[in-house]
């Protein structure tokens, strides 16, 4: 079993611009010792540690944690993909076997067309050259551009984080449904079943989330979905054990082998974990 999406941070590092005091439950340090007991309770053996700051220093911080922590199987880091030396930076980071991919924080970038800029071509090609993946941290409005991007790079291993964050709180999802289905149909992208409860507001019951899970499953199938916690951001809505139990309930009707795929096998394939 693999948690395909979790974070660590140390506030004193100073590079988490989005992490402010008003986010009370998560405005503190979160490190491996905090997560380890929850992983043990859930029988989860490995995790993918994902960037939470737009700095290469944080990527080095995460790689250091991976080298010291048995359960971290891989790291998804950050580079300035628009920088003139982006390809060189990606190549250097790729020398560390724990680095599995790169994630720009697209949801926070003002220009919705940013991902299609020509100056990013060398960075995307460097991901391909170094056999690294691309985590797409996007919102529903970005999905048409993401489809264009993935058609431009059809062999780029891509996973859509958090199901592209549908507006579950307001049950406003018709365009999201069409656009996420188009991504699934026309590309080889994977998708993470993570982060849904933090988009749900008060609508966190199984009956509210089930239609969203079912649409992701019907779109991507059992072999292109992977489960993740998005811990500790998850703590804004519920604790680790509650999200784990709710996730198992959401997928309870799936065949056993597909549940196993969602709970670890797909993440192992996507992030090439056999290499570490």
């Amino acid at each position: 079993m693999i948690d395909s999406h979790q974070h660590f941070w140390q506030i004193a590092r100073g590079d988490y611009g989005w992490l402010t005091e008003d986010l009370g439950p998560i405005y503190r340090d979160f490190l491996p010792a905090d997560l380890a007991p929850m992983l043990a309770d859930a029988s989860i053996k490995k995790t993918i540690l994902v960037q939470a700051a737009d700095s290469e220093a944080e990527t080095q911080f995460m790689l250091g944690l991976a080298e010291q922590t048995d359960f971290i199987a891989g790291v998804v880091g950050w580079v300035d993909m628009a920088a003139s030396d982006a390809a060189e930076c990606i190549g250097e980071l790729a020398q560390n076997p724990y680095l599995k991919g790169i994630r720009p924080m697209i949801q926070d970038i003002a220009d919705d067309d940013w991902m299609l800029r020509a100056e990013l071509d060398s960075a995307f090609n460097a991901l391909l050259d170094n056999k690294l993946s691309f985590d797409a941290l996007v919102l529903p409005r970005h999905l048409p551009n993401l489809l264009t991007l993935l058609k431009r790079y059809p062999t780029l291993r891509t996973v859509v984080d958090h199901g592209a964050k549908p507006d579950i709180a307001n049950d406003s999802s018709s365009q999201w449904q069409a656009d996420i289905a188009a991504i699934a149909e026309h590309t080889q992208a994977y998708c993470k079943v993570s982060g849904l409860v933090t988009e749900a507001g008060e609508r966190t019951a199984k009956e509210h989330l089930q239609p969203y899970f079912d649409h992701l499953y019907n779109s991507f199938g059992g072999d292109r979905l992977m489960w993740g916690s998005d811990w500790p951001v998850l703590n804004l809505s519920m604790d680790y054990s509650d999200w784990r139990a709710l996730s198992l309930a959401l997928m309870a009707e799936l065949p056993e082998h597909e549940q196993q795929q969602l709970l670890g096998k797909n993440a192992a394939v996507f992030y090439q974990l056999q290499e570490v």
Side-chain angles (χ1 to χ4, degrees):
M1 291 187 180
I2 297 168
D3 182 342
S4 72
H5 198 104
Q6 55 93 187
H7 307 283
F8 292 128
W9 53 71
Q10 285 182 315
I11 292 176
R13 290 181 42 76
D15 45 7
Y16 307 100
W18 62 274
L19 185 57
T20 54
E21 291 187 29
D22 59 306
L23 297 172
I26 63 172
Y27 189 71
R28 66 172 181 85
D29 293 352
F30 289 92
L31 293 168
D34 299 302
L35 181 57
M38 289 176 275
L39 296 178
D41 288 345
S43 299
I44 295 172
K45 302 301 182 184
K46 297 291 182 180
T47 72
I48 299 296
L49 175 58
V50 180
Q51 64 83 225
D54 53 356
S55 75
E56 291 178 29
E58 197 229 9
T59 298
Q60 295 293 349
F61 166 69
M62 293 189 298
L63 291 171
L65 289 178
E67 291 167 357
Q68 302 164 13
T69 307
D70 289 344
F71 64 73
I72 301 175
V75 167
V76 177
W78 181 94
V79 299
D80 182 355
M81 295 183 70
S84 60
D85 64 345
E88 179 182 342
C89 291
I90 290 169
E92 290 176 358
L93 286 170
Q95 300 306 305
N96 189 311
Y98 282 102
L99 188 82
K100 299 301 179 183
I102 294 296
R103 184 176 85 151
M105 301 178 81
I106 294 173
Q107 68 172 16
D108 298 325
I109 295 172
D111 180 7
D112 286 352
D113 295 329
W114 176 86
M115 71 182 84
L116 299 178
R117 291 182 182 179
E119 61 262 36
L120 304 184
D121 288 350
S122 62
F124 282 116
N125 284 319
L127 294 181
L128 290 167
D129 292 343
N130 290 281
K131 297 181 172 59
L132 295 175
S133 62
F134 175 61
D135 264 58
L137 177 60
V138 296
L139 300 173
R141 69 175 189 269
H142 297 113
L143 289 172
N145 276 349
L146 181 62
L147 180 58
T148 299
L149 178 71
L150 298 187
K151 288 182 175 180
R152 185 181 297 175
Y153 301 102
T155 61
L156 180 65
R157 280 186 299 110
T158 300
V159 59
V160 180
D161 286 355
H162 313 320
K165 295 192 169 185
D167 187 7
I168 300 171
N170 297 305
D171 196 24
S172 176
S173 61
S174 59
Q175 191 60 51
W176 168 82
Q177 289 177 337
D179 290 340
I180 201 76
I183 294 283
E185 180 180 358
H186 298 295
T187 79
Q188 300 178 43
Y190 284 57
C191 185
K192 289 183 181 179
V193 180
S194 59
L196 299 182
V197 291
T198 48
E199 303 304 316
E202 300 299 318
R203 295 168 51 84
T204 58
K206 179 180 181 292
E207 60 265 27
H208 297 139
L209 295 177
Q210 191 73 59
Y212 292 86
F213 174 84
D214 289 348
H215 184 65
L216 292 174
Y217 172 75
N218 291 332
S219 297
F220 289 91
D223 58 353
R224 287 195 289 155
L225 286 180
M226 60 182 85
W227 180 85
S229 67
D230 197 28
W231 182 92
V233 179
L234 171 67
N235 292 348
L236 293 171
S237 297
M238 63 179 58
D239 65 25
Y240 199 100
S241 61
D242 286 344
W243 170 237
R244 183 68 170 176
L246 177 54
S247 300
L248 293 175
L250 291 172
M251 64 181 73
E253 298 301 316
L254 302 187
E256 178 65 26
H257 76 279
E258 290 193 343
Q259 293 186 43
Q260 292 176 2
Q261 286 178 301
L262 266 70
L263 293 171
K265 291 183 178 180
N266 292 341
V269 170
F270 180 83
Y271 285 114
Q272 301 178 333
L273 300 187
Q274 65 274 15
E275 295 180 3
V276 174

